[in-house]
Amino acid sequence: MAYEPPRIAVTTDIVLFTIREGVLQVLLLRRAIPPFINVWALPGGFVELHEALEDNARRKLHEETGLDNIYLEQLYTFGALGRDPRERVVSVAYVALTPADDLHPEAETRAGTVAWHRVDPLPALAFDHAEIIAMARQRLVAKLDYSTIAFQFLPPQFTLSDVQDIYEIIQGQPMDKRNFRKWVLALDDLEETGDYRTGHHRPAMLYRLKNPDLVRITK
Amino acid sequence: MAYEPPRIAVTTDIVLFTIREGVLQVLLLRRAIPPFINVWALPGGFVELHEALEDNARRKLHEETGLDNIYLEQLYTFGALGRDPRERVVSVAYVALTPADDLHPEAETRAGTVAWHRVDPLPALAFDHAEIIAMARQRLVAKLDYSTIAFQFLPPQFTLSDVQDIYEIIQGQPMDKRNFRKWVLALDDLEETGDYRTGHHRPAMLYRLKNPDLVRITK
DNA sequence: TCAAAAGTGTTCACTGTACACCCATGT
DNA sequence: ACATGGGTGTACAGTGAACACTTTTGA
């Protein structure tokens, strides 16, 4: 007699971060359907039988934001009993990062209203999504220290001050300008474009990433 | 019309490491049933509908080894198509650590023969278990550098040389004795028992962990 | 007495941190 | 001319790495 394993609904949840309005923000969806109707939730959805986990995360993100080819890494798998009131659901959570300007969601999608929210404070969230975002944030902060993950927030061209802003916003504390520049240039991941950003003050050298899609462990 | 999500078989796979015979070893099971009959595989099994993921991992480990209350952390979730020939299976992998002497498996369990194997080289493995072990090893090596995870390999009492042996085995390179001792004592996680291990040579001070179950991030 | 593991400090190089002023532009 | 952000170098402290000999025991 063959053993029949239980089958469980599997979802992905994507914590998509960006830097906007000088703070760290996360993409949320106001749910148009029960459960948790009208409550904010992470983008994501049920994994199809013939769909890889990360493919599902990328597909859902694309459907809900139009974004494609962005940085995405698996975070953790949440499988507590009762985390979904309907039935047992195991959710594989991902962290994604994108430059601010790549998305101005005010759209009403099939799934509901999509919008950026500051992570501090967060609105009330569906399921265990507050916990998921908290862990994603921890991961992001930790990775600043030993990887080049923060560069995934950068647009194609940027100034060194833009880079420093990102670090200061995520870590919540100011950094010394000279030390920061010395350090970031020593990573050898940036190169000058030769152009300058002209604004109201002294023009700033524009840089680009040597390998825009590469996230490197730095120690 | 309500959407019916697909249901997927979910398993856990546990990579249980120990230090034995001067090398890093992993617990494997020789499968008694198809698929991959007679091939070595990781312990683990299907998650029940009313069972939390980590509970399943601990239960399976207990059933197959008798071990209880050991260090266990989630590693990664593997969900590639075709990783199980029978049907779509998503597997949540865990890393577990135990002192060598806590387990002498030569037992025939219901699921098959259980045995320790060196990780270098590994035998042929079922499913994508070679990949899982490789990632687990990477995680272990990485965590040596910024956490006290290695102490989970230690028996209740141990000498400083025992501790150094563990680090040298996992990292595959010798360390300076004076520097190692200075460093490990500065962590302030060890305390002298007052007893000595007497053997063939000069007796060595025995230490114990101040918090045996605590794995701390050290930087 | 010999073999083998236990135990113990100092020096040096490097890395990370603190710190202040001039420059280029727009208004 | 002034307000604003852009850009630059040096000095010091703390951390990590190299390095050799004495002690204690059992055989």
Side-chain angles (χ1 to χ4, degrees), chain A residues 72-162:
Chain A
L72 188 74
E73 74 171 51
Q74 202 188 98
L75 172 65
Y76 195 78
T77 297
F78 294 82
L81 302 178
R83 56 177 295 283
D84 190 308
R86 292 166 292 188
E87 64 174 281
R88 177 72 188 283
V89 176
V90 166
S91 180
V92 184
Y94 285 82
V95 180
L97 272 53
T98 190
D101 306 318
D102 286 9
L103 183 63
H104 301 276
E106 298 145 21
E108 302 285 326
T109 70
R110 183 169 56 83
T113 307
V114 180
W116 291 113
H117 277 78
R118 358 190 113 213
V119 294
D120 251 339
L122 279 172
L125 290 168
F127 308 104
D128 51 0
H129 288 185
E131 190 188 342
I132 297 176
I133 294 174
M135 191 182 289
R137 229 181 132 176
Q138 263 190 288
R139 168 81 62 98
L140 175 63
V141 170
K143 280 212 155 184
L144 279 203
D145 271 350
Y146 66 88
S147 81
T148 58
I149 195 174
F151 295 163
Q152 296 299 311
F153 285 122
L154 292 168
Q157 298 199 120
F158 50 85
T159 67
L160 294 184
S161 294
D162 292 341

Side-chain angles (χ1 to χ4, degrees), chain A residues 3 5-10 46-54 74 76-81 87-88 90 92 94, chain B residues 3 5-10 46-54 74 76-81 87-88 90 92:
Chain A
Y3 168 73
R7 271 77 173 190
I8 299 176
V10 176
F46 290 103
V47 175
E48 299 296 324
L49 261 178
H50 298 289
E51 182 179 45
L53 297 172
E54 187 177 317
Q74 202 188 98
Y76 195 78
T77 297
F78 294 82
L81 302 178
E87 64 174 281
R88 177 72 188 283
V90 166
V92 184
Y94 285 82
Chain B
Y3 168 73
R7 272 75 172 191
I8 299 176
V10 177
F46 289 104
V47 174
E48 299 296 324
L49 262 179
H50 298 290
E51 180 180 46
L53 297 172
E54 187 177 317
Q74 202 189 98
Y76 195 78
T77 297
F78 295 81
L81 303 177
E87 66 174 280
R88 178 71 188 282
V90 167
V92 184

Side-chain angles (χ1 to χ4, degrees), chain A residues 12 14 43-48 51 55-66 110, chain B residues 3:
Chain A
T12 60
I14 303 110
F46 290 103
V47 175
E48 299 296 324
E51 182 179 45
D55 290 347
N56 174 265
R58 291 193 182 277
R59 178 171 66 84
K60 288 291 172 181
L61 208 49
H62 182 75
E63 287 173 9
E64 285 156 6
T65 65
R110 183 169 56 83
Chain B
Y3 168 73

